[in-house]
Amino acid sequence: AGWAVEGLEPDPVAAEVARRTSGCPVTVGDLLTVDLPASVFDLVVLSHVFEHLADPNAALRRIAELLVPSGRAVLIYPNPGGLGARLFRGLWAGWEPPRHLVIPSAQAMAATARRNGLLPLKVRSASRSFGGFSWRVACNAQLGPGSAVRAGWTSKLFQTISSDRFLKEVSVLLRWLGVDVGEEIVVALAKGGR
């Protein structure tokens, strides 16, 4: 699409795979500590990265520092107000402790971004994927250890309602009706603010 792209990856093996498959430079390191030049990036994208960062305020300040004055950032992370989180509460796989350290609501992200030099342009949920696996894990946990849904119509019903496709469609329908319950939050931010 004409972009000059650079990646950042903490795992050296994954960084090498990314370099090899994309042909783009990929720096090994951490967003907060790697030596990247300030005010040179037009766009910073964190797709399912933000929830793994121990210091969200420092991460947002660093993103603002890396962006050119007209720069933008896009953050995509699990939605704690999504359909799966609402239905399964503490059993929702999106919490994924201990790997997920912070999963802010859309409102909390917007307020935190403002305090750290970024203006929220658009905050919404998305239903790109759903993760039926999350539902199956939660349902099996509710049924008890080693439980499996019995064969027959209940098994078919369970497989249908726990499929990625079915849950995604329910999520899309609810979003269309104005209930913002997608499994991911997508935040578009602009440099500026405070």
Side-chain angles (χ1 to χ4, degrees), residues 84-96:
R86 290 177 188 211
L87 291 173
F88 291 104
R89 297 183 179 105
L91 295 174
W92 179 53
W95 297 125
E96 202 181 324

Side-chain angles (χ1 to χ4, degrees), residues 5 16-26:
V5 177
E16 179 54 37
V17 170
R19 271 188 223 100
R20 197 171 54 249
T21 58
S22 71
C24 297
V26 178

Side-chain angles (χ1 to χ4, degrees), residues 4-5 7 9 28 42 57 74-75 85 90-92 118 125 136 153 168 172:
V5 177
E9 169 58 49
V28 176
D42 293 304
N57 289 300
V74 175
L75 310 179
L91 295 174
W92 179 53
L118 295 164
S125 75
R136 287 187 287 279
W153 72 270
K168 180 180 177 181
V172 168

Side-chain angles (χ1 to χ4, degrees), residues 90-107:
L91 295 174
W92 179 53
W95 297 125
E96 202 181 324
R99 291 180 354 106
H100 288 180
L101 305 175
V102 60
I103 305 179
S105 68
Q107 297 81 6

